[in-house]
Amino acid sequence: MDIWGKVLEKLSSDLSKPSFDTWLKNTTVEWDEDELTVFAANEFTIDWLETQYSERIGEAVKEVTGEDYIICFAVEEKDADSIFSTTRLESFSYETDSISRLEAKIDRLEEKVQRLIDVKRLDERAALLEEKISKLEQQMK
């Protein structure tokens, strides 16, 4: 396991699982002599790490490495391909769900239309029967 993995392991045992998973689990780092830069996905996470966990991270790094590091925070830069491929997958998943919901609606509408057609046919037959009954009643008079 690399050094950052050991630091994360230490932090995961010190923090609640939801806190660790939310703020630290997906972080990466770069080491540069006496400086450690922690990368996270967005500015909000960076701000939270800096204000809430900076000291704990520094202590965990010192425990694992035996040295003091200057802890810096930065937003992880993603390349355009990874951003767009994720967006395409999310979009595709959303479109697939939408299509499935629309197909189910179409099926329900087709069933309703068929029932309406059946009712209309019954109404027409009832009207014909009423007409025949009326004619028979008139003949009987």
Side-chain angles (χ1 to χ4, degrees), residues 2-108:
D2 67 344
I3 295 172
W4 185 242
K6 290 176 184 175
V7 171
L8 288 176
E9 188 175 84
K10 170 76 180 124
L11 290 167
S12 73
S13 67
D14 294 343
L15 302 172
S16 70
K17 182 168 176 32
S19 292
F20 177 82
D21 287 349
T22 301
W23 304 111
L24 289 157
K25 183 177 182 179
N26 295 315
T27 57
T28 57
V29 294
E30 273 185 18
W31 301 88
D32 186 26
E33 294 182 28
D34 61 342
E35 192 173 286
L36 168 68
T37 304
V38 178
F39 293 94
N42 56 58
E43 201 64 49
F44 181 79
T45 303
I46 290 301
D47 288 342
W48 188 262
L49 288 172
E50 201 165 13
T51 59
Q52 302 298 315
Y53 293 109
S54 182
E55 192 173 296
R56 278 187 164 168
I57 291 170
E59 291 168 0
V61 168
K62 183 166 182 149
E63 269 189 54
V64 171
T65 64
E67 296 181 38
D68 283 318
Y69 282 86
I70 298 167
I71 310 293
C72 301
F73 297 88
V75 174
E76 183 175 315
E77 303 239 350
K78 291 187 176 182
D79 61 16
D81 288 340
S82 69
I83 292 170
F84 290 124
S85 67
T86 302
T87 303
R88 279 193 297 267
L89 288 174
E90 289 169 0
S91 174
F92 178 74
S93 175
Y94 174 76
E95 289 170 5
T96 302
D97 291 345
S98 295
I99 289 169
S100 297
R101 285 193 305 273
L102 288 173
E103 286 173 339
K105 270 186 176 179
I106 289 169
D107 289 343
R108 287 192 303 272

